[in-house]
Amino acid sequence: INAEYGERAGGSEGHLPEGYRVNAPILLPVSGVEPRSTSKASNFCFNWTYGDLKPEPIKTLCGRVDNINELATPSRLCKKALFQTFLDTYQKLRGDAMKGLTYRECKDAAVGYGEAKAALITAFKEGGYGYWVHKPDDLSSFAL
């Protein structure tokens, strides 16, 4: 898998804007060779990071936190929560330049990121590795 990933993404390395590079994550081999059956997949997944008091259980069908006595709430890893964290961090480092912008407007303002993503998509297409899956634009047009 490591070689395959590096081969697919490696073709974009020479076309990336300054300051960007292709990172090859260290992937460990699986212990079983049997294909994974999605019909047997768990109804829950968990995420946690350093400093969290406990893992966050997520219902895999809806992506929401499963609280026993509460309504299901969005995960701390949902797009809205991550966007809020980005805005908070950006404001601390660079001020209010992104205040009031939608998620899409903030992504579009990251010109280098857009160029790097385009180079990666082109490398995938030219290498015969398939196409980048695009989500509908209305899913990115939210503001906080």
Side-chain angles (χ1 to χ4, degrees):
I1 289 178
N2 283 329
E4 183 73 17
Y5 174 83
E7 183 181 320
R8 288 183 183 186
S12 63
E13 191 79 46
H15 304 289
L16 294 176
E18 187 177 332
Y20 287 86
R21 66 186 174 133
V22 174
N23 291 310
I26 298 171
L27 302 174
L28 300 175
V30 295
S31 58
V33 294
E34 297 176 14
R36 183 176 168 266
S37 171
T38 56
S39 63
K40 296 179 183 177
S42 171
N43 293 329
F44 295 93
C45 66
F46 296 88
N47 71 68
W48 66 95
T49 59
Y50 180 78
D52 291 340
L53 297 178
K54 60 184 179 178
E56 180 183 58
I58 307 293
K59 291 182 182 179
T60 56
L61 293 175
C62 64
R64 293 186 172 265
V65 176
D66 184 45
N67 296 325
I68 305 238
N69 294 320
E70 302 175 29
L71 296 174
T73 57
S75 168
R76 61 183 165 213
L77 297 180
C78 75
K79 192 180 285 192
K80 182 179 178 183
L82 293 174
F83 183 44
Q84 183 64 60
T85 301
F86 165 78
L87 289 176
D88 293 345
T89 304
Y90 190 92
Q91 184 177 17
K92 288 177 185 174
L93 296 174
R94 298 192 178 168
D96 289 333
M98 297 282 183
K99 190 172 186 173
L101 297 181
T102 65
Y103 176 81
R104 168 61 38 210
E105 291 167 336
C106 287
K107 281 192 86 166
D108 290 344
V111 176
Y113 165 80
E115 292 171 355
K117 183 177 174 183
L120 186 64
I121 291 169
T122 299
F124 282 172
K125 196 184 310 184
E126 289 175 354
Y129 298 115
Y131 295 91
W132 193 269
V133 178
H134 293 277
K135 294 181 182 175
D137 287 337
D138 59 334
L139 294 179
S140 298
S141 299
F142 65 90
L144 299 176

